[in-house]
Amino acid sequence: MKIYPDNSVILAPLAGYTDLPYRSSAIRHGCLFAFTEMIDAGSLVFGHGKTLAMLNRGRNESFLGVQIVGSEHEILKKATRIISQHDVNVLDFNLGCPAKKVARKGEGATLAKRTEEAIRAFEVIVRNSQIPVTVKTRILDEEDPAPTIHLVKMLVDAGAAAVTLHGRIMSKFYSGDVKSRIIAEVRGNVKTQLIANGGVFSSSTCETLRSETGCGCVMVARGAMGNPWIFDEIREGRNFNPPTPDGLADEIGRHVAEMAELCGEEIGVRISRKLMIDYVKGRGYPGELRNSVCKIKTLEELKPFLDNVRIGPTPRYGKWIEANPDAPRRLMV
Ligand SMILES: Cc1cc2nc3c(=O)[nH]c(=O)nc-3n(C[C@H](O)[C@H](O)[C@H](O)COP(=O)(O)O)c2cc1C
């Protein structure tokens, strides 16, 4: 059975982002499938309360995917059992993270390169899980599809209910072209649901990825940062259906308030500063608005920022949009 209906648009796991308030914001804009950020299997097992809280499902979440990263079999086994006891729909194994702190431990994308070892670790998760297990990984070579096909086939044989494939090799991190051809070759060689990932920043880039890879299901990552409207836009097949200044201010206010509720006001507002910048970025606001973010410490101090968001972009914005007709982040003015 397929994990996702055809043509689903899934919110990617994003470390430091896809917590409950972030996922709620995406859900308000029509996102039906979302993942927690990657959770270190060891942190789950050694019982850090904060890590366990990451497994909590929001009231408006009809689907919750949890992603873990790790390599040690005993730890993966215990982490899988913990997750299986929670109200979670899918457990995803991270075989794509290129970050140094993950690579150093031989996990994430580094583990994927050692295919046999990756498969053995994945089998431990599958054996111990009560819920469907999926994988998110990367292409292994930009020119030759064979190594990636081999990896994905092995994962499917080991029990992957779906595989998400990011079309960039590990050394490229998140930059450069997405190698859709490699994803398409994998698509042609496996029966299991394959989700294409990389470079979706608008409805049209989503369609391009779908048509070039043959994958109906796509995963959106950076395209959703500060832009939950992307889910509405893709669903409606409209490239630009951006918020009004009031809509943007309301969304920011709600998101930050939920962060304050989750983490306490001081910490919640502090970690929301990067979100405030993401929300206004590329929408024609003056630089001073972004600079003002670093001084916001309380919900009360957020109010003047939101008032400035409501004022709208600089007068030059209209001209800028004319000159940049494909710019994905916009404002309805
Ligand atoms: C800040 C940041 C955090 C990320 N965290 C995770 C993560 O926790 N787990 C994961 O599998 N991928 C993670 N990724 C990778 C994304 O899920 C996605 O694969 C990548 O950004 C490519 O998609 P995009 O081009 O649409 O952004 C992260 C990417 C970024 C930029």
Side-chain angles (χ1 to χ4, degrees), residues 47-55 267:
H48 303 302
K50 261 200 204 151
T51 314
L52 267 180
M54 290 164 85
L55 304 179
I267 295 173

Side-chain angles (χ1 to χ4, degrees), residues 12-15 17 37-38 67 94 136 166 168 174 197-200 221-222 225:
L14 287 166
Y17 287 86
E37 63 182 280
M38 63 179 170
Q67 188 189 61
N94 182 320
K136 181 166 177 283
H166 176 191
R168 297 184 182 95
Y174 306 115
N197 168 236
V200 173
R222 288 167 299 168
M225 284 181 176

Side-chain angles (χ1 to χ4, degrees), residues 135-154:
V135 190
K136 181 166 177 283
T137 189
R138 288 174 174 253
I139 59 167
L140 293 176
D141 192 289
E142 293 185 319
E143 305 298 331
D144 180 7
T148 315
I149 292 173
H150 176 66
L151 170 68
V152 174
K153 274 187 164 173
M154 299 273 282

Side-chain angles (χ1 to χ4, degrees), residues 76-77 80-81 83-84 89-92 122-134:
L76 287 174
K77 175 176 145 186
T80 300
R81 290 184 174 176
I83 293 166
S84 289
N89 296 87
V90 161
L91 168 54
D92 189 74
F122 184 64
E123 283 170 345
V124 171
I125 299 175
V126 172
R127 264 201 310 277
N128 287 282
S129 182
Q130 311 281 329
I131 53 177
V133 181
T134 62

Side-chain angles (χ1 to χ4, degrees), residues 104-129:
R104 222 181 286 129
K105 293 193 273 180
E107 299 173 353
T110 308
L111 183 57
K113 287 182 175 181
R114 300 200 292 263
T115 302
E116 303 296 327
E117 251 179 76
I119 299 302
R120 282 201 297 278
F122 184 64
E123 283 170 345
V124 171
I125 299 175
V126 172
R127 264 201 310 277
N128 287 282
S129 182

Side-chain angles (χ1 to χ4, degrees), residues 48-280:
H48 303 302
K50 261 200 204 151
T51 314
L52 267 180
M54 290 164 85
L55 304 179
N56 291 344
R57 183 194 282 260
R59 254 168 295 158
N60 61 350
E61 275 189 296
S62 56
F63 172 100
L64 175 63
V66 168
Q67 188 189 61
I68 53 167
V69 64
S71 59
E72 250 194 66
H73 291 192
E74 201 50 32
I75 289 178
L76 287 174
K77 175 176 145 186
K78 288 181 179 161
T80 300
R81 290 184 174 176
I82 292 170
I83 293 166
S84 289
Q85 285 160 9
H86 281 74
D87 184 17
V88 169
N89 296 87
V90 161
L91 168 54
D92 189 74
F93 186 38
N94 182 320
L95 284 180
C97 182
K100 254 194 208 143
K101 66 171 186 184
V102 172
R104 222 181 286 129
K105 293 193 273 180
E107 299 173 353
T110 308
L111 183 57
K113 287 182 175 181
R114 300 200 292 263
T115 302
E116 303 296 327
E117 251 179 76
I119 299 302
R120 282 201 297 278
F122 184 64
E123 283 170 345
V124 171
I125 299 175
V126 172
R127 264 201 310 277
N128 287 282
S129 182
Q130 311 281 329
I131 53 177
V133 181
T134 62
V135 190
K136 181 166 177 283
T137 189
R138 288 174 174 253
I139 59 167
L140 293 176
D141 192 289
E142 293 185 319
E143 305 298 331
D144 180 7
T148 315
I149 292 173
H150 176 66
L151 170 68
V152 174
K153 274 187 164 173
M154 299 273 282
L155 288 165
V156 170
D157 288 347
V163 177
T164 302
L165 194 53
H166 176 191
R168 297 184 182 95
I169 55 173
M170 180 182 172
S171 60
K172 293 277 173 75
F173 278 66
Y174 306 115
S175 62
D177 294 344
V178 170
K179 303 296 177 192
S180 304
R181 185 181 72 84
I182 304 292
I183 302 179
E185 294 271 2
V186 175
R187 164 72 284 150
N189 277 277
V190 292
K191 295 258 181 313
T192 299
Q193 200 162 34
L194 191 72
I195 296 104
N197 168 236
V200 173
F201 290 95
S202 61
S203 175
S204 65
T205 44
C206 178
E207 278 321 304
T208 304
L209 187 66
R210 279 176 168 154
S211 65
E212 288 181 357
T213 61
C215 298
C217 291
V218 296
M219 190 172 262
V220 179
R222 288 167 299 168
M225 284 181 176
N227 192 23
W229 294 273
I230 192 171
F231 295 101
D232 295 323
E233 290 173 352
I234 294 174
R235 191 186 58 253
E236 293 163 8
R238 284 206 274 168
N239 236 2
F240 305 119
N241 189 14
T244 59
D246 277 337
L248 181 63
D250 290 345
E251 190 66 49
I252 300 171
R254 193 159 172 187
H255 195 152
V256 180
E258 287 181 14
M259 287 297 286
E261 204 177 305
L262 184 72
C263 315
E265 183 164 347
E266 192 193 334
I267 295 173
V269 172
R270 183 162 17 99
I271 46 185
S272 295
R273 287 179 189 154
K274 65 174 188 275
L275 304 173
M276 299 171 205
I277 292 173
D278 283 343
Y279 272 113
V280 297

